[in-house]
Amino acid sequence: MHMKIAILGTGVLATVYGAMLARAGHEVVLLGRPAAVRRVAASPARLTGALDVTQQLQAETVPHWVRRNGSADLLLVCTKAITTEEQLAPLRGARLGGAASFQNGVLKDGYLAQVVGVDRVITAETMLSAALTGEGVVVVTKGAALLSGPADPVPFARALQSAGLPVDISDDPASLVWSKASIVAAGFGVSCLSRQPAQGIFPSPLLAGLFLDLVEEVGGVAAALGVQLRDYPALPAGTFMAQSREDNLSLLRDLGRQLQSAPAPQRVSMLQDLEAGRPLEVEEVLGGMTAQAERAGVSTPTLHFCYRLLSGLEELRSK
Ligand SMILES: NC(=O)c1ccc[n+]([C@@H]2O[C@H](COP(=O)([O-])OP(=O)(O)OC[C@H]3O[C@@H](n4cnc5c(N)ncnc54)[C@H](OP(=O)(O)O)[C@@H]3O)[C@@H](O)[C@H]2O)c1
């Protein structure tokens, strides 16, 4: 079925999903800030790596789109998870059939619910990874979009499949969000504090152990909220919670070995942002879950340490 999709964002993830959906015949508009809208209009998007696509995209600013009565079957949020609530506020005036967000963190679906109502939110995560080269080309490593309710994810799943993008549907939205968030918090936390790519972390028993401490702490918070971490494609959060520490370290060592053959060091996006002096998604990725831990009375010393240190760095950089 043909879908009308408005993508909030003009960065790499918005470009990949926008280009693939538009190429498959869906009606796609990217919504962004004026300079980015001009950049999108100026030349076609180019994807390389696992995908080889050149596609011109349409883009508008949010106020312009809303003023001219913008409507979409789905709003797909692909901006940085920084001040998301403020980014979404102007979209309350738009006619939206539903909304999904590929942002990282545990707060995003609550923000979407304020815009479209809780029953129209599709919980979404992506295991695809994308980064920009110096020449403005987006390099893509393929990975599935993971979708769940409360809204019916099937039409969006079909649209993604029609664009050649793999999808996995599950029936427990909270588990999906917390499972991805546990790996992201652990990966971002250890990478930023050690300044190491994944290839550097996983073979080191100390750094890999820190990664596992973080996954377990987030799993403890999720459990206190009645949510169980599970496995999803390329996301073994359930396994990390169930296996012995020794087996987990061995799993991470194997993963580290596989990554050695990757063409470039795998630097998580928060590490790239830290090194480039860009704002960090600290609040959405780590702050949301530390606040939940406090409310639930769960002790998360390592998570709190990472959160305080990265928030402190953010504070220094913003002065
Ligand atoms: N890239 C990946 O492989 C990947 C994979 C999974 C999840 N994610 C998550 O997906 C989200 C988007 O990532 P990305 O890699 O596509 O980022 P990106 O290339 O840096 O693009 C970020 C987008 O967010 C916009 N933005 C940033 N700060 C903003 C603000 N304060 N207000 C309004 N717009 C703002 C930027 O607009 P301007 O250009 O105008 O600054 C740009 O359109 C993040 O939450 C990330 O963690 C990324």
Side-chain angles (χ1 to χ4, degrees):
M1 195 188 77
H2 170 269
M3 276 190 99
K4 211 170 156 183
I5 299 177
I7 300 183
L8 182 64
T10 48
V12 290
L13 215 51
T15 302
V16 174
Y17 280 97
M20 296 307 287
L21 288 162
R23 197 178 70 132
H26 299 283
E27 192 178 330
V28 176
V29 60
L30 304 195
L31 302 176
R33 299 192 271 205
V37 167
R38 285 194 294 277
R39 180 176 46 76
V40 173
S43 58
R46 283 181 54 211
L47 312 183
T48 181
L51 301 170
D52 182 13
V53 167
T54 300
Q55 175 72 40
Q56 182 60 51
L57 286 163
Q58 306 302 316
E60 282 186 54
T61 63
V62 173
H64 185 260
W65 187 71
V66 172
R67 249 196 332 269
R68 67 167 191 83
N69 229 355
S71 71
D73 302 316
L74 184 79
L75 170 75
L76 179 61
V77 179
C78 291
T79 49
K80 282 285 181 190
I82 296 167
T83 60
T84 305
E85 214 171 357
E86 287 160 37
Q87 292 181 42
L88 290 174
L91 286 157
R92 289 181 188 208
R95 288 176 296 131
L96 300 168
S101 172
F102 280 142
Q103 290 177 322
N104 280 314
V106 293
L107 303 176
K108 58 187 188 162
D109 286 353
Y111 298 142
L112 290 182
Q114 290 171 21
V115 178
V116 293
V118 71
D119 294 341
R120 291 189 184 193
V121 175
I122 295 171
T123 295
E125 303 291 347
T126 181
M127 300 310 293
L128 178 148
S129 110
L132 199 61
T133 68
E135 294 80 41
V137 178
V138 179
V139 187
V140 184
T141 309
K142 237 180 182 178
L146 315 177
L147 305 181
S148 189
D152 179 10
V154 170
F156 182 39
R158 292 215 174 109
L160 292 171
Q161 284 162 338
S162 74
L165 297 168
V167 179
D168 182 85
I169 294 184
S170 63
D171 59 6
D172 186 344
S175 169
L176 175 56
V177 166
W178 279 88
S179 298
K180 173 87 188 297
S182 70
I183 305 286
V184 169
F188 284 15
V190 181
S191 291
C192 287
L193 300 189
S194 66
R195 306 254 174 159
Q196 288 296 314
Q199 287 92 330
I201 293 167
F202 294 150
S204 151
L206 286 174
L207 293 178
L210 191 58
F211 175 94
L212 292 168
D213 287 348
L214 283 162
V215 173
E216 281 169 18
E217 285 188 9
V218 177
V221 183
L225 301 171
V227 178
Q228 200 187 344
L229 302 194
R230 296 182 200 279
D231 285 353
Y232 298 88
L235 191 64
T239 297
F240 286 140
M241 292 303 287
Q243 279 194 156
S244 69
R245 177 57 64 117
E246 203 182 313
D247 288 344
N248 279 336
L249 287 172
S250 153
L251 180 68
L252 288 176
R253 252 193 325 272
D254 289 347
L255 200 60
R257 243 178 255 128
Q258 285 167 28
L259 288 173
Q260 296 297 338
S261 58
Q266 304 287 299
R267 306 178 101 74
V268 296
S269 64
M270 195 184 277
L271 179 57
Q272 293 176 34
D273 290 339
L274 185 68
E275 289 175 340
R278 293 188 292 258
L280 308 180
E281 297 176 296
V282 180
E283 275 312 313
E284 264 90 344
V285 169
L286 296 165
M289 54 179 60
T290 49
Q292 299 257 32
E294 270 166 28
R295 277 199 292 277
V298 179
S299 167
T300 54
T302 314
L303 184 66
H304 267 75
F305 176 76
C306 288
Y307 171 58
R308 287 174 64 192
L309 210 123
L310 288 168
S311 303
L313 281 179
E314 266 301 76
E315 189 184 55
L316 283 178
R317 285 166 8 134
S318 64
K319 277 188 180 154

